[in-house]
Amino acid sequence: LNYSDGVTSNIQTQIDDVNTAITRVGFAAKDSNSSVTASAYSTASFNVEIEDTNSAWDGTTFTVPAGEGGMYEIFGHATFNNVADGNIAIVGVEINSSLPDGGLLGRGTAGASGIGGYGGALRLDLSAGDTVEMVVFCENNTTLYNAVGQEGYCTFSAYKMI
C-alpha cells in the first residue's frame, strides 16, 4: 500500500482499527464429576478451566458473567454415569439463574441403564454482566462422568461471535 496518499493511508488506519477491536471474548471449561440429584436442575461443576479471556470464570459457583453484550455461541455437553432405563436426562444453560426459552442444549431418554451423553450448541443474545451456567437434570440420582483430560465427556464454553 502507498501510505503517502491520504486515501490509502486512511484505509490502512481503518483496517488497523478493526483488527485492534477484534478480541476473543469467552471461556471454556472441562472435566466434571458433579452429583446430579433426581428430578432437579443442578449447576455442573468443572475441574479444569481451559480458557478465560477476561478472567471472569468463577471456579466456586461455576458461572461466568458475559464480559460484553452481544451474541454468544454456547456449547455444552455432559455425560451421565447412569441414566436409568426410560429416564430423561437434560443439559441446558441458565442465564441469570433462569432457564430461558430455547436454553436446552440436549435431551435424551435411556433405552437401557448406562452411560448417556447429551449436549449441543445454541446462540443467545447476552447483556454485559449476564451470568451464564450449564445445568444438568436427570430423573434419577447420578453423577457426571469424568474421564480426566478428555474434553468430549463434559465440557462447557461460550464465545462472543464477531
Side-chain angles (χ1 to χ4, degrees):
L1 294 172
N2 177 0
Y3 294 104
S4 62
D5 70 53
V7 174
T8 307
S9 177
N10 185 38
I11 291 170
Q12 184 60 48
T13 300
Q14 290 175 19
I15 291 170
D16 291 342
D17 288 347
V18 168
N19 287 336
T20 302
I22 296 173
T23 6
R24 191 170 158 103
V25 175
F27 77 97
K30 67 178 182 177
D31 293 346
S32 179
N33 52 0
S34 296
S35 293
V36 181
T37 303
S39 299
Y41 281 95
S42 306
T43 299
S45 63
F46 291 90
N47 302 321
V48 178
E49 180 183 297
I50 300 168
E51 180 178 38
D52 184 1
T53 63
N54 58 354
S55 300
W57 173 254
D58 185 330
T60 55
T61 62
F62 308 103
T63 61
V64 65
E68 299 176 4
M71 187 64 68
Y72 282 75
E73 184 163 89
I74 299 171
F75 173 82
H77 184 273
T79 301
F80 295 80
N81 264 320
N82 180 34
V83 179
D85 187 14
N87 280 358
I88 295 171
I90 296 171
V91 180
V93 172
E94 285 191 350
I95 309 301
N96 302 323
S97 300
S98 178
L99 190 66
D101 288 340
L104 292 182
L105 292 166
R107 178 185 185 278
T109 303
S113 292
I115 292 174
Y118 309 97
L122 53 89
R123 293 180 179 165
L124 292 174
D125 191 13
L126 302 176
S127 298
D130 278 350
T131 302
V132 182
E133 63 190 295
M134 187 172 106
V135 293
V136 290
F137 173 95
C138 188
E139 289 183 318
N140 58 271
N141 289 325
T142 188
T143 57
L144 296 184
Y145 185 73
N146 185 17
V148 176
Q150 298 189 33
E151 295 176 31
Y153 286 102
C154 292
T155 187
F156 181 43
S157 64
Y159 287 95
K160 184 176 179 190
M161 300 172 60
I162 297 173

